[in-house]
Amino acid sequence: MKIYKIGVIGLGDISNVYLTNLKKYDSIVELYACSCRTPVKAEEKCRQYGFKKSYSSGDELIADPEVDIILNLTTPDSHYRYNLAALKAGKHVYTEKPLAGTFAEGQEIMTLAKEKGLYVGSAPDTFMGSRVQTMRRLMDDGTTGTIIGGIVNCVSHGWEWFHPNPSFFYQKGAGPVLDIGPYYWTALFSLLGPVESVTAMGSTPLTERTIYSEPQKGAAIQVDPDVLTHVMAVLKFRNGAIVSANMSWNVWDSKLPKMELYGTNATLVMEDQDPNDGPNLFGGVLLMKNEENYRWKSMPRVQNEMDQPWTEVEIKHDHDSVSQAVNSRGIGLVDMAESIRSGTAARAGGDMALHMLEVAEGIETAAKEGRIVTMQTDFTLPEPMPQK
């Protein structure tokens, strides 16, 4: 059976977890070539992870006829260029999020992919992890009833506190809606399907931010005034569910859960035990309440809500390759390779990534123009991960 040769463009911090994970799947993918703007780093990664070749530019790597799939781990401003170039060269593409900097660029990528019969996949693939897959199972088996709404919250005071190079988070193609937002939007899409329309309000309270992390501590970041860093949005899904979203890099912490979904039979909550414990992880704690432990069930009303505690749902490992305790980034690429081999649809596929771009851009447009924006794109709800 064919083993797909992977060419990796971009070798920043996130590359290590991708490369470590992909080496586990040598029955279907091979780390064949890598490239970086710093040739010394490319050569170092080549030795560390066993690549056959290293290149000093992504264009050189794309031109290598042996490469089957391009893994694009560059910064967002380079996604469109390399993704399009790879497709033109006849390569399948799996890219870090977002698919491109704008919805129009994403449309161009997907149009070309379909014309050439090539696969496009995109992070995030965290929705394939055990917690979101458990939520999907509870919805599919009727435990939650019909999901009528929910809320997602992703608030902090920005990346300048811990990221070694945070400036790009405040430039075109980033901001909370397009940078951290894709984890939340994609988790929702994998559970509820496509969005019908969005509306929002937003602002950019700080036009300059100070870096607190090393090695640039004390330096200033000029925030692109067109990048909204504080957004409150409402998404109406085609299945009727209405979800509100808070996305901000101007908040000094919060006690709100990262995600709640409200069903006719039960509420599901992603327990926030850690500031980063949200849809950007593959697992975590999942809580549920229904008629049996509803705090108003017994009258007179229970005075202490903790007398009616939330039920902690058992999180099952739905797939050998996805763990609630391990960062499994790259499983979306492995799934795409399996889909190419079998001719089936990839779970973290390009159509859903394009819809995510349209939704994110629609949120920002709605916030800036004060209106409701209707979505035009569609995708098929990803198949749930197989149960062990």
Side-chain angles (χ1 to χ4, degrees), residues 78-366:
S78 296
H79 288 182
Y80 166 71
R81 183 173 94 78
Y82 284 125
N83 292 342
L84 200 65
L87 292 170
K88 288 179 178 178
K91 319 291 189 188
H92 304 288
V93 172
Y94 188 88
T95 181
E96 249 303 323
K97 46 80 182 168
L99 176 63
T102 67
F103 175 53
E105 291 175 349
Q107 286 180 302
E108 189 177 351
I109 288 169
M110 290 308 301
T111 297
L112 181 60
K114 290 174 182 179
E115 286 175 356
K116 296 178 77 70
L118 295 168
Y119 276 70
V120 172
S122 177
D125 51 7
T126 44
F127 73 91
M128 297 167 67
S130 51
R131 179 160 59 172
V132 174
Q133 289 297 309
T134 298
M135 297 171 76
R136 174 70 180 268
R137 174 173 56 83
L138 293 171
M139 292 168 58
D140 288 349
D141 69 13
T143 298
T144 63
T146 301
I147 300 297
I148 61 169
I151 186 169
V152 296
N153 301 286
C154 184
V155 299
S156 70
H157 219 272
W159 288 86
E160 60 269 30
W161 290 84
F162 49 86
H163 196 279
N165 184 27
S167 297
F168 76 88
F169 290 105
Y170 300 96
Q171 307 306 314
K172 179 185 176 183
V177 173
L178 264 174
D179 175 71
I180 194 72
Y183 294 104
Y184 291 74
W185 314 138
T186 305
L188 290 170
F189 296 169
S190 73
L191 297 170
L192 302 174
V195 171
E196 177 182 296
S197 60
V198 299
T199 191
M201 292 185 180
S203 62
T204 308
L206 300 175
T207 57
E208 182 177 285
R209 307 175 78 109
T210 300
I211 298 176
Y212 293 89
S213 58
E214 297 293 351
Q216 301 180 52
K217 187 173 183 179
I221 298 173
Q222 301 303 317
V223 181
D224 185 331
D226 200 42
V227 174
L228 299 175
T229 57
H230 183 76
V231 178
M232 302 188 75
V234 178
L235 294 72
K236 182 179 181 181
F237 287 78
R238 289 180 189 159
N239 70 356
I242 299 173
V243 176
S244 60
N246 303 315
M247 296 280 158
S248 181
W249 288 341
N250 296 277
V251 174
W252 294 112
D253 225 330
S254 167
K255 295 178 69 174
L256 294 170
K258 291 296 191 291
M259 179 184 290
E260 294 185 349
L261 290 182
Y262 310 133
T264 52
N265 294 340
T267 292
L268 298 178
V269 175
M270 284 189 174
E271 172 72 341
D272 186 5
Q273 294 187 327
D274 178 271
N276 296 314
D277 189 6
N280 51 314
L281 300 183
F282 283 83
V285 177
L286 179 64
L287 303 180
M288 181 171 69
K289 267 204 177 185
N290 56 22
E291 182 180 0
E292 293 306 310
N293 58 348
Y294 181 48
R295 61 173 163 161
W296 289 83
K297 180 180 180 182
S298 301
M299 294 298 289
R301 177 191 168 194
V302 176
Q303 295 302 307
N304 183 355
E305 185 181 353
M306 294 307 295
D307 291 343
Q308 296 290 347
W310 291 76
T311 300
E312 183 172 339
V313 180
E314 179 185 3
I315 301 290
K316 295 183 178 180
H317 299 276
D318 296 315
H319 192 279
D320 289 338
S321 57
V322 178
S323 166
Q324 67 183 54
V326 176
N327 185 343
S328 299
R329 290 175 194 271
I331 189 61
L333 186 153
V334 176
D335 177 74
M336 189 182 82
E338 291 176 345
S339 298
I340 296 169
R341 183 185 274 178
S342 63
T344 56
R347 289 178 173 85
D351 286 337
M352 188 163 67
L354 180 64
H355 188 72
M356 191 284 297
L357 260 182
E358 185 183 23
V359 168
E361 195 167 287
I363 288 171
E364 296 200 332
T365 298

Side-chain angles (χ1 to χ4, degrees), residues 13-22 49 327-330:
D13 289 345
I14 201 171
S15 67
N16 290 320
V17 67
Y18 268 94
L19 301 181
T20 299
N21 289 335
L22 291 174
Y49 290 100
N327 185 343
S328 299
R329 290 175 194 271

Side-chain angles (χ1 to χ4, degrees), residues 24-41:
K24 301 173 186 176
Y25 300 100
D26 56 7
S27 64
I28 190 165
V29 295
E30 174 190 352
L31 296 180
Y32 179 76
C34 64
S35 70
C36 179
R37 290 175 295 184
T38 308
V40 172
K41 179 185 276 191

